[in-house]
Amino acid sequence: MYICNTSGLLKTVIIFTSPMKIVVDDKIPYIRATIEELADEVVYRPGSDIGPDDVRDADALIVRTRTRCDERLLRGSRVQFVATATIGFDHIDADYMQRAGIEWMSCPGCNAGSVAQYVESVLLLLEQEKGITLGERTLGIVGCGHVGSRVRAVADRLGMRCLVCDPPLGEADFVPMDTIEREADIITFHVPLTHSGPYATHHLADDAFFHRLSRVPIIINTSRGGVVDNAALLQAMDSGLVDEVVLDVWEGEPQLNRELLRRVFIGTPHIAGYSADGKVNADNMVIRGLCRHFGLDCPPEIVPPSLPADFHFTGHPLELYNPADDSQRLKSHPESFESLRGDYPLRREFC
């Protein structure tokens, strides 16, 4: 196989003396037929089980969040391209990738519509089951990137007052965090998990955060488990500092605090972004990145499967997706966190 890369006026031709091999997380849906058109050999493995022996003779690696891509995994391998079919990339050791000369990519924005659908459905459930009048409530959005901006559009459509905090973006109409702490009735987090720098997000919602709250808000976290200190959240619930809680992400996944799970209004197994539409978006982004890196012609785009023919949608969003169903499954079988996530049923954002 001949791979041509150009940089300026220089052209480098890399000749592979062995067939092209790609290792793929076996829970990435819809990608198999397309990826098998591009590679001579494709190996599917559970993400948490992918180890050095699996990738030693691989040219590319396609993962989700369950595979830690670092020196321990990749040193001594021939991997030159890593793609994670997720928006988050805290499982990618970017410093090592740069040192090792391995190109890597994530899929920013791929599931923004899916997470926005999840948040909208949660808000409608709060209105339906808890008697909350959304048009009279203030939504505080922490993080206004691909996902947060879509959630902002949802809030506007539902007639909610909206406050947005995102210091790195510095938009003129954004507010500081203390404004959200004072004025928001519902606070939803849409930030990456970072541990250092001026805007580190690890335990952004910690014990001090909960004690600064002026109201007794509803807390929603669909970003990363470590953004909200789960122990502090449980204490805040005990102390009456927060009202209802919705968690799609948890510290220590797939293990989670079962008392916290029992008490949250909605608790789901990290599937807010798991619509078929979001997954297909990620698949296509990965395929484009792979083809660009290896100089291959891109195949036709993957499309999501259709809903069953007997599905009849009358127009209410909860008919299309109701997170209470996912919550009931997790609360009934918390030990099945990974299988509930890995074998997630078909969900569409649109009919």
Coordinates of all heavy atoms in Angstrom, one line a residue, residues 36-126:
E36 N -14.1 -1.8 6.9 CA -13.6 -3.0 6.3 C -13.4 -2.8 4.8 O -12.6 -3.6 4.2 CB -14.6 -4.1 6.6 CG -14.5 -4.6 8.0 CD -15.6 -5.5 8.4 OE1 -16.3 -6.0 7.5 OE2 -15.8 -5.8 9.6
E37 N -13.9 -1.8 4.2 CA -13.6 -1.4 2.8 C -12.2 -0.8 2.7 O -11.6 -0.9 1.7 CB -14.6 -0.4 2.2 CG -16.0 -1.0 2.0 CD -16.9 0.0 1.4 OE1 -16.4 1.1 0.9 OE2 -18.1 -0.1 1.4
L38 N -11.8 -0.2 3.8 CA -10.6 0.7 3.7 C -9.3 -0.1 4.2 O -8.2 0.3 3.8 CB -10.8 1.9 4.6 CG -11.9 2.8 4.2 CD1 -12.1 3.9 5.3 CD2 -11.6 3.5 2.9
A39 N -9.5 -1.1 5.0 CA -8.3 -1.8 5.6 C -8.3 -3.2 5.2 O -9.3 -3.8 4.8 CB -8.4 -1.7 7.1
D40 N -7.1 -3.8 5.2 CA -6.9 -5.2 4.8 C -7.3 -6.1 6.0 O -7.8 -7.2 5.8 CB -5.4 -5.4 4.5 CG -4.9 -4.6 3.3 OD1 -5.3 -4.9 2.2 OD2 -4.2 -3.6 3.6
E41 N -7.1 -5.6 7.2 CA -7.5 -6.3 8.4 C -8.1 -5.4 9.4 O -7.5 -4.3 9.7 CB -6.3 -7.0 9.0 CG -6.6 -7.9 10.2 CD -5.3 -8.5 10.9 OE1 -4.2 -8.3 10.3 OE2 -5.5 -9.2 11.9
V42 N -9.2 -5.7 10.0 CA -9.8 -5.0 11.1 C -10.1 -5.9 12.2 O -10.7 -7.0 12.1 CB -11.2 -4.3 10.6 CG1 -11.8 -3.5 11.8 CG2 -11.0 -3.5 9.4
V43 N -9.6 -5.5 13.4 CA -9.8 -6.3 14.6 C -10.7 -5.5 15.6 O -10.4 -4.3 15.9 CB -8.4 -6.6 15.3 CG1 -8.6 -7.3 16.6 CG2 -7.5 -7.4 14.4
Y44 N -11.7 -6.2 16.1 CA -12.7 -5.5 17.0 C -12.4 -6.1 18.4 O -12.4 -7.3 18.6 CB -14.1 -5.8 16.6 CG -14.4 -5.3 15.2 CD1 -14.4 -6.2 14.1 CD2 -14.7 -4.0 15.0 CE1 -14.7 -5.7 12.8 CE2 -15.0 -3.5 13.7 CZ -15.0 -4.4 12.6 OH -15.2 -3.9 11.3
R45 N -12.3 -5.1 19.4 CA -12.0 -5.5 20.7 C -12.8 -4.6 21.7 O -13.1 -3.5 21.4 CB -10.5 -5.4 21.1 CG -9.6 -6.3 20.3 CD -9.5 -7.6 21.0 NE -8.8 -7.5 22.3 CZ -9.1 -8.2 23.3 NH1 -10.1 -9.1 23.3 NH2 -8.4 -8.1 24.5
P46 N -13.3 -5.2 22.8 CA -13.9 -4.3 23.8 C -12.9 -3.2 24.2 O -11.7 -3.4 24.4 CB -14.1 -5.2 25.0 CG -14.2 -6.6 24.4 CD -13.2 -6.6 23.3
G47 N -13.4 -1.9 24.3 CA -12.5 -0.8 24.5 C -11.7 -0.9 25.7 O -10.5 -0.6 25.7
S48 N -12.2 -1.4 26.8 CA -11.4 -1.5 28.1 C -10.4 -2.6 28.0 O -9.5 -2.7 28.9 CB -12.4 -1.7 29.3 OG -13.2 -2.8 29.1
D49 N -10.5 -3.5 27.0 CA -9.6 -4.6 26.9 C -8.5 -4.4 25.9 O -7.6 -5.2 25.8 CB -10.4 -5.9 26.5 CG -11.3 -6.4 27.6 OD1 -11.2 -5.9 28.8 OD2 -12.2 -7.2 27.3
I50 N -8.5 -3.3 25.2 CA -7.5 -3.1 24.1 C -6.2 -2.8 24.8 O -6.0 -2.0 25.7 CB -7.9 -1.9 23.2 CG1 -9.1 -2.2 22.4 CG2 -6.7 -1.5 22.3 CD1 -9.6 -1.0 21.6
G51 N -5.2 -3.7 24.5 CA -3.9 -3.6 25.2 C -2.7 -3.5 24.2 O -2.9 -3.6 22.9
P52 N -1.5 -3.4 24.7 CA -0.3 -3.3 23.8 C -0.2 -4.4 22.7 O 0.2 -4.2 21.6 CB 0.9 -3.3 24.8 CG 0.3 -2.8 26.1 CD -1.1 -3.3 26.1
D53 N -0.6 -5.6 23.1 CA -0.5 -6.7 22.1 C -1.4 -6.6 21.0 O -1.1 -7.0 19.9 CB -0.7 -8.1 22.8 CG 0.4 -8.5 23.8 OD1 1.5 -7.9 23.7 OD2 0.1 -9.3 24.7
D54 N -2.6 -5.9 21.2 CA -3.6 -5.7 20.2 C -3.1 -4.7 19.1 O -3.4 -4.8 18.0 CB -4.9 -5.3 20.8 CG -5.5 -6.3 21.8 OD1 -5.7 -7.4 21.4 OD2 -5.8 -5.9 22.9
V55 N -2.3 -3.7 19.6 CA -2.0 -2.6 18.7 C -0.6 -2.6 18.2 O -0.2 -1.8 17.3 CB -2.2 -1.2 19.4 CG1 -3.7 -1.1 19.9 CG2 -1.3 -1.0 20.6
R56 N 0.2 -3.6 18.6 CA 1.6 -3.6 18.3 C 1.8 -3.6 16.7 O 2.7 -2.9 16.2 CB 2.3 -4.9 18.9 CG 3.8 -4.9 18.6 CD 4.5 -5.9 19.5 NE 4.4 -5.5 20.9 CZ 3.7 -6.0 21.9 NH1 3.0 -7.1 21.6 NH2 3.8 -5.6 23.1
D57 N 1.0 -4.3 16.0 CA 1.2 -4.4 14.5 C 0.1 -3.6 13.8 O -0.2 -3.9 12.6 CB 1.4 -5.8 14.0 CG 0.1 -6.6 14.3 OD1 -0.7 -6.2 15.1 OD2 0.0 -7.7 13.8
A58 N -0.6 -2.7 14.5 CA -1.7 -2.0 13.9 C -1.2 -0.7 13.3 O -0.3 -0.1 13.9 CB -2.8 -1.8 14.9
D59 N -1.8 -0.2 12.3 CA -1.5 1.1 11.7 C -2.4 2.2 12.3 O -2.0 3.4 12.3 CB -1.6 1.1 10.2 CG -0.8 0.0 9.6 OD1 0.5 0.1 9.7 OD2 -1.3 -1.0 9.1
A60 N -3.6 1.9 12.7 CA -4.5 2.9 13.2 C -5.4 2.2 14.3 O -5.6 1.0 14.4 CB -5.4 3.4 12.1
L61 N -5.9 3.1 15.2 CA -6.7 2.7 16.3 C -7.9 3.6 16.4 O -7.7 4.8 16.4 CB -5.8 2.8 17.6 CG -6.5 2.5 19.0 CD1 -7.0 1.1 19.0 CD2 -5.5 2.8 20.1
I62 N -9.1 3.0 16.6 CA -10.3 3.8 16.7 C -11.0 3.4 18.0 O -11.3 2.2 18.1 CB -11.2 3.6 15.5 CG1 -10.5 4.0 14.2 CG2 -12.5 4.4 15.6 CD1 -11.3 3.7 12.9
V63 N -11.2 4.3 18.9 CA -11.6 4.0 20.2 C -12.8 4.9 20.6 O -13.3 5.7 19.9 CB -10.5 4.2 21.2 CG1 -9.3 3.3 20.9 CG2 -10.0 5.7 21.3
R64 N -13.3 4.6 21.9 CA -14.2 5.5 22.6 C -13.5 5.8 23.9 O -12.3 5.7 24.0 CB -15.5 4.7 22.9 CG -16.3 4.3 21.6 CD -17.6 3.7 22.0 NE -17.4 2.6 23.0 CZ -18.3 2.3 23.9 NH1 -19.5 2.9 24.0 NH2 -18.1 1.3 24.8
T65 N -14.3 6.3 24.9 CA -13.6 6.8 26.1 C -13.0 5.7 27.0 O -12.3 6.0 27.9 CB -14.7 7.6 26.9 OG1 -15.8 6.7 27.2 CG2 -15.2 8.8 26.2
R66 N -13.4 4.5 26.7 CA -12.9 3.4 27.6 C -11.5 2.9 27.4 O -10.9 2.1 28.1 CB -13.9 2.2 27.5 CG -15.2 2.5 28.1 CD -15.2 2.8 29.6 NE -16.5 3.0 30.2 CZ -17.0 4.1 30.6 NH1 -16.3 5.2 30.4 NH2 -18.2 4.1 31.2
T67 N -10.8 3.5 26.3 CA -9.5 3.1 26.0 C -8.5 4.3 26.3 O -8.6 5.3 25.7 CB -9.3 2.7 24.5 OG1 -10.3 1.7 24.2 CG2 -7.9 2.2 24.3
R68 N -7.6 4.1 27.3 CA -6.6 5.1 27.6 C -5.5 5.0 26.6 O -4.8 4.0 26.5 CB -6.1 4.9 29.0 CG -5.0 5.8 29.4 CD -5.4 7.2 29.5 NE -4.3 8.1 29.9 CZ -4.3 9.4 29.9 NH1 -5.4 10.0 29.5 NH2 -3.3 10.1 30.2
C69 N -5.3 6.0 25.7 CA -4.3 6.0 24.7 C -3.1 6.8 25.1 O -3.1 8.0 25.1 CB -4.9 6.6 23.4 SG -6.3 5.7 22.7
D70 N -2.1 6.0 25.6 CA -0.9 6.7 26.1 C 0.3 5.8 25.8 O 0.2 4.9 25.0 CB -1.1 6.8 27.7 CG -1.4 5.5 28.4 OD1 -1.3 4.4 27.7 OD2 -1.7 5.6 29.6
E71 N 1.4 6.2 26.4 CA 2.7 5.5 26.2 C 2.6 4.0 26.5 O 3.1 3.1 25.8 CB 3.8 6.1 26.9 CG 5.2 5.5 26.6 CD 6.3 6.3 27.2 OE1 6.1 7.3 28.0 OE2 7.5 6.0 26.9
R72 N 1.9 3.7 27.6 CA 1.8 2.3 28.0 C 1.2 1.4 26.9 O 1.6 0.3 26.7 CB 1.0 2.2 29.3 CG 0.9 0.7 29.9 CD -0.3 0.6 30.8 NE -1.6 0.8 30.1 CZ -2.2 -0.1 29.3 NH1 -1.6 -1.3 29.2 NH2 -3.3 0.1 28.7
L73 N 0.2 2.0 26.3 CA -0.5 1.3 25.2 C 0.2 1.2 23.9 O 0.3 0.2 23.2 CB -1.9 1.9 25.0 CG -2.8 1.3 23.9 CD1 -3.2 -0.2 24.2 CD2 -4.0 2.1 23.6
L74 N 0.8 2.4 23.5 CA 1.3 2.6 22.2 C 2.8 2.4 21.9 O 3.2 2.3 20.8 CB 0.8 3.9 21.7 CG -0.8 4.1 21.6 CD1 -1.1 5.5 21.4 CD2 -1.3 3.2 20.4
R75 N 3.5 2.5 23.0 CA 5.0 2.4 22.8 C 5.4 1.1 22.2 O 5.0 0.1 22.6 CB 5.7 2.6 24.2 CG 7.2 2.6 24.1 CD 7.8 3.1 25.4 NE 7.3 2.4 26.5 CZ 8.0 1.5 27.2 NH1 9.2 1.2 26.9 NH2 7.5 0.9 28.2
G76 N 6.2 1.2 21.1 CA 6.7 0.1 20.4 C 5.7 -0.4 19.3 O 6.0 -1.4 18.6
S77 N 4.6 0.2 19.2 CA 3.6 -0.2 18.1 C 3.9 0.6 16.9 O 4.7 1.5 16.9 CB 2.2 0.1 18.6 OG 1.9 1.5 18.5
R78 N 3.3 0.2 15.8 CA 3.4 1.0 14.5 C 2.2 1.9 14.3 O 2.1 2.4 13.2 CB 3.7 0.0 13.4 CG 2.5 -0.8 12.8 CD 2.8 -1.5 11.6 NE 1.7 -2.0 10.9 CZ 1.5 -3.2 10.4 NH1 2.6 -4.1 10.5 NH2 0.4 -3.6 9.8
V79 N 1.4 2.1 15.3 CA 0.2 2.9 15.2 C 0.7 4.4 14.8 O 1.6 4.9 15.5 CB -0.6 3.0 16.5 CG1 -1.7 4.1 16.4 CG2 -1.2 1.6 16.7
Q80 N 0.1 4.9 13.8 CA 0.4 6.3 13.4 C -0.8 7.2 13.4 O -0.7 8.4 13.2 CB 1.1 6.4 12.0 CG 0.3 5.8 10.9 CD 0.9 6.0 9.6 OE1 0.7 7.0 8.9 NE2 1.7 5.0 9.2
F81 N -2.0 6.6 13.7 CA -3.2 7.4 13.7 C -4.2 6.9 14.7 O -4.4 5.7 14.7 CB -3.9 7.4 12.3 CG -5.2 8.2 12.2 CD1 -5.2 9.5 12.0 CD2 -6.4 7.5 12.3 CE1 -6.4 10.2 11.9 CE2 -7.6 8.2 12.2 CZ -7.6 9.6 12.0
V82 N -4.7 7.7 15.6 CA -5.6 7.4 16.6 C -6.8 8.3 16.5 O -6.7 9.5 16.4 CB -5.0 7.5 18.0 CG1 -6.1 7.2 19.1 CG2 -3.9 6.5 18.2
A83 N -8.0 7.7 16.5 CA -9.3 8.5 16.5 C -10.2 8.0 17.6 O -10.3 6.8 17.8 CB -10.0 8.4 15.1
T84 N -10.7 9.0 18.3 CA -11.7 8.6 19.3 C -13.1 9.2 18.8 O -13.2 10.3 18.4 CB -11.4 9.2 20.7 OG1 -12.5 8.9 21.6 CG2 -11.2 10.7 20.7
A85 N -14.0 8.3 18.7 CA -15.4 8.6 18.2 C -16.2 9.3 19.2 O -17.4 8.9 19.4 CB -16.0 7.3 17.6
T86 N -15.6 10.2 19.9 CA -16.3 10.9 21.0 C -15.9 12.4 20.9 O -14.9 12.8 20.3 CB -15.8 10.4 22.4 OG1 -14.4 10.6 22.5 CG2 -16.2 8.9 22.5
I87 N -16.7 13.3 21.6 CA -16.3 14.7 21.7 C -15.2 14.9 22.7 O -14.3 15.7 22.6 CB -17.5 15.6 22.0 CG1 -18.1 15.2 23.3 CG2 -18.5 15.5 20.9 CD1 -19.2 16.2 23.7
G88 N -15.2 14.1 23.8 CA -14.2 14.2 24.8 C -12.9 13.5 24.5 O -12.9 12.6 23.7
F89 N -11.8 14.0 25.0 CA -10.5 13.4 24.7 C -9.6 13.3 25.9 O -8.4 13.3 25.8 CB -9.8 14.1 23.6 CG -9.7 15.6 23.7 CD1 -8.7 16.2 24.4 CD2 -10.7 16.4 23.1 CE1 -8.6 17.6 24.6 CE2 -10.6 17.8 23.3 CZ -9.6 18.4 24.0
D90 N -10.2 13.3 27.2 CA -9.3 13.2 28.3 C -8.7 11.9 28.5 O -7.8 11.7 29.3 CB -10.1 13.6 29.6 CG -11.5 13.0 29.7 OD1 -12.4 13.5 28.9 OD2 -11.7 12.0 30.4
H91 N -9.1 10.9 27.7 CA -8.5 9.6 27.7 C -7.3 9.5 26.7 O -6.7 8.4 26.5 CB -9.5 8.5 27.4 CG -10.3 8.7 26.1 ND1 -11.1 9.8 25.9 CD2 -10.3 8.1 24.9 CE1 -11.6 9.8 24.7 NE2 -11.1 8.7 24.1
I92 N -7.0 10.6 26.0 CA -5.9 10.7 25.0 C -4.8 11.4 25.7 O -5.0 12.6 26.1 CB -6.4 11.4 23.7 CG1 -7.6 10.7 23.1 CG2 -5.2 11.4 22.7 CD1 -7.3 9.3 22.5
D93 N -3.6 10.8 25.7 CA -2.4 11.5 26.2 C -1.8 12.3 25.1 O -1.0 11.8 24.3 CB -1.4 10.5 26.8 CG -0.2 11.2 27.5 OD1 0.1 12.4 27.2 OD2 0.5 10.5 28.3
A94 N -2.3 13.6 24.9 CA -1.9 14.4 23.8 C -0.4 14.7 23.8 O 0.3 14.8 22.7 CB -2.7 15.7 23.8
D95 N 0.2 14.9 25.0 CA 1.7 15.1 25.0 C 2.4 13.9 24.5 O 3.4 14.1 23.7 CB 2.1 15.4 26.5 CG 1.6 16.7 27.0 OD1 1.3 17.6 26.1 OD2 1.5 16.9 28.2
Y96 N 2.0 12.7 24.9 CA 2.7 11.5 24.4 C 2.5 11.4 22.9 O 3.5 11.1 22.1 CB 2.3 10.3 25.0 CG 2.9 9.0 24.4 CD1 4.2 8.7 24.5 CD2 2.1 8.2 23.5 CE1 4.8 7.6 23.9 CE2 2.6 7.2 22.9 CZ 4.0 6.9 23.0 OH 4.5 5.8 22.4
M97 N 1.3 11.7 22.4 CA 1.1 11.6 20.9 C 2.0 12.5 20.2 O 2.5 12.1 19.1 CB -0.4 11.9 20.7 CG -1.4 11.0 21.2 SD -1.4 9.4 20.5 CE -2.7 8.6 21.3
Q98 N 2.2 13.7 20.7 CA 3.0 14.6 20.0 C 4.5 14.1 20.0 O 5.2 14.2 18.9 CB 3.0 16.0 20.6 CG 3.8 17.1 19.9 CD 3.6 18.4 20.5 OE1 3.1 18.6 21.6 NE2 3.9 19.5 19.8
R99 N 4.9 13.6 21.1 CA 6.3 13.2 21.2 C 6.5 12.0 20.3 O 7.6 11.8 19.7 CB 6.7 12.8 22.7 CG 6.7 13.9 23.6 CD 7.5 13.5 24.9 NE 7.0 12.3 25.5 CZ 6.0 12.2 26.4 NH1 5.3 13.3 26.8 NH2 5.6 11.0 26.9
A100 N 5.5 11.1 20.2 CA 5.7 9.9 19.4 C 5.4 10.1 17.9 O 5.5 9.2 17.1 CB 4.7 8.8 20.0
G101 N 4.9 11.3 17.5 CA 4.6 11.6 16.1 C 3.3 10.8 15.7 O 3.2 10.5 14.5
I102 N 2.4 10.6 16.6 CA 1.2 9.9 16.2 C 0.1 11.0 16.1 O -0.2 11.8 17.0 CB 0.7 8.9 17.3 CG1 1.8 7.8 17.5 CG2 -0.6 8.3 17.0 CD1 1.6 6.9 18.7
E103 N -0.6 11.0 14.9 CA -1.7 12.0 14.7 C -2.9 11.4 15.5 O -3.2 10.2 15.4 CB -2.0 12.1 13.2 CG -3.1 13.1 13.0 CD -3.5 13.3 11.5 OE1 -2.8 12.8 10.7 OE2 -4.5 13.9 11.3
W104 N -3.7 12.3 16.1 CA -4.9 11.8 16.7 C -6.0 12.9 16.5 O -5.7 14.0 16.2 CB -4.7 11.6 18.2 CG -4.4 12.9 19.0 CD1 -3.2 13.5 19.2 CD2 -5.4 13.6 19.7 NE1 -3.4 14.6 20.0 CE2 -4.7 14.7 20.3 CE3 -6.8 13.5 19.9 CZ2 -5.4 15.7 21.1 CZ3 -7.4 14.5 20.7 CH2 -6.7 15.5 21.3
M105 N -7.2 12.4 16.6 CA -8.4 13.3 16.5 C -9.5 12.8 17.4 O -9.6 11.7 17.7 CB -8.8 13.3 15.0 CG -9.4 11.9 14.5 SD -10.2 12.0 12.9 CE -11.8 12.8 13.4
S106 N -10.3 13.8 17.7 CA -11.6 13.5 18.4 C -12.7 14.0 17.4 O -12.4 14.4 16.3 CB -11.7 14.2 19.7 OG -11.6 15.6 19.6
C107 N -13.9 14.0 17.9 CA -15.1 14.4 17.0 C -15.9 15.4 17.7 O -17.1 15.2 18.1 CB -15.9 13.1 16.7 SG -15.0 11.8 15.9
P108 N -15.4 16.7 17.8 CA -16.1 17.7 18.4 C -17.4 18.0 17.8 O -17.5 18.1 16.5 CB -15.1 18.9 18.3 CG -14.2 18.6 17.2 CD -14.1 17.1 17.2
G109 N -18.5 18.1 18.6 CA -19.8 18.5 18.1 C -20.6 17.3 17.5 O -21.7 17.5 17.2
C110 N -20.0 16.1 17.4 CA -20.7 15.0 16.8 C -22.0 14.7 17.4 O -23.0 14.4 16.7 CB -19.8 13.8 16.7 SG -19.4 13.0 18.3
N111 N -22.1 14.8 18.7 CA -23.3 14.4 19.4 C -24.0 15.6 20.1 O -24.8 15.4 21.0 CB -23.0 13.3 20.4 CG -22.1 13.7 21.5 OD1 -21.6 14.8 21.6 ND2 -21.8 12.8 22.4
A112 N -23.7 16.8 19.7 CA -24.3 17.9 20.3 C -25.8 17.9 20.2 O -26.5 18.2 21.2 CB -23.8 19.2 19.7
G113 N -26.4 17.5 19.1 CA -27.8 17.4 18.9 C -28.4 16.4 19.8 O -29.5 16.6 20.4
S114 N -27.7 15.3 20.0 CA -28.2 14.2 20.9 C -28.3 14.7 22.4 O -29.2 14.4 23.1 CB -27.3 13.0 20.8 OG -27.7 11.9 21.6
V115 N -27.2 15.3 22.8 CA -27.2 15.8 24.2 C -28.3 16.9 24.4 O -28.9 16.9 25.4 CB -25.8 16.3 24.6 CG1 -25.8 16.9 26.0 CG2 -24.8 15.2 24.5
A116 N -28.4 17.8 23.4 CA -29.5 18.8 23.5 C -30.9 18.1 23.6 O -31.7 18.6 24.3 CB -29.4 19.7 22.3
Q117 N -31.0 17.0 22.8 CA -32.3 16.3 22.9 C -32.5 15.7 24.3 O -33.6 15.8 24.9 CB -32.3 15.1 21.9 CG -33.6 14.3 21.9 CD -33.4 13.0 21.1 OE1 -32.4 12.3 21.2 NE2 -34.4 12.7 20.3
Y118 N -31.5 15.2 24.9 CA -31.5 14.6 26.2 C -31.9 15.7 27.2 O -32.8 15.5 28.1 CB -30.2 14.0 26.6 CG -30.1 13.4 28.0 CD1 -30.2 12.0 28.2 CD2 -29.8 14.2 29.1 CE1 -30.1 11.5 29.4 CE2 -29.7 13.7 30.4 CZ -29.8 12.3 30.5 OH -29.7 11.7 31.8
V119 N -31.3 16.9 27.2 CA -31.6 17.9 28.1 C -33.0 18.4 27.9 O -33.7 18.7 28.9 CB -30.5 19.1 28.0 CG1 -30.9 20.3 28.9 CG2 -29.1 18.6 28.4
E120 N -33.4 18.6 26.7 CA -34.8 19.0 26.4 C -35.8 18.0 27.0 O -36.8 18.4 27.7 CB -35.0 19.2 25.0 CG -36.5 19.7 24.7 CD -36.7 19.9 23.2 OE1 -35.9 19.5 22.3 OE2 -37.8 20.6 22.9
S121 N -35.5 16.8 26.8 CA -36.4 15.7 27.4 C -36.5 15.8 28.9 O -37.5 15.6 29.5 CB -36.0 14.3 26.9 OG -36.1 14.3 25.4
V122 N -35.3 16.0 29.5 CA -35.2 16.1 30.9 C -36.1 17.3 31.4 O -36.8 17.2 32.4 CB -33.8 16.2 31.4 CG1 -33.7 16.7 32.8 CG2 -33.1 14.8 31.3
L123 N -35.9 18.4 30.8 CA -36.7 19.6 31.2 C -38.2 19.4 31.0 O -38.9 19.8 31.9 CB -36.2 20.8 30.3 CG -34.8 21.3 30.5 CD1 -34.4 22.4 29.5 CD2 -34.6 21.9 31.9
L124 N -38.6 18.7 30.0 CA -40.0 18.4 29.8 C -40.5 17.4 30.8 O -41.6 17.5 31.3 CB -40.2 17.9 28.4 CG -40.0 18.9 27.3 CD1 -40.1 18.2 25.9 CD2 -41.0 20.1 27.3
L125 N -39.7 16.5 31.2 CA -40.0 15.6 32.3 C -40.2 16.3 33.6 O -41.1 16.0 34.4 CB -39.0 14.5 32.5 CG -39.1 13.3 31.5 CD1 -37.9 12.3 31.7 CD2 -40.4 12.5 31.7
L126 N -39.3 17.3 33.9 CA -39.4 18.0 35.1 C -40.7 18.8 35.1 O -41.4 19.0 36.2 CB -38.2 19.0 35.2 CG -36.9 18.3 35.6 CD1 -35.7 19.3 35.3 CD2 -36.8 17.9 37.1

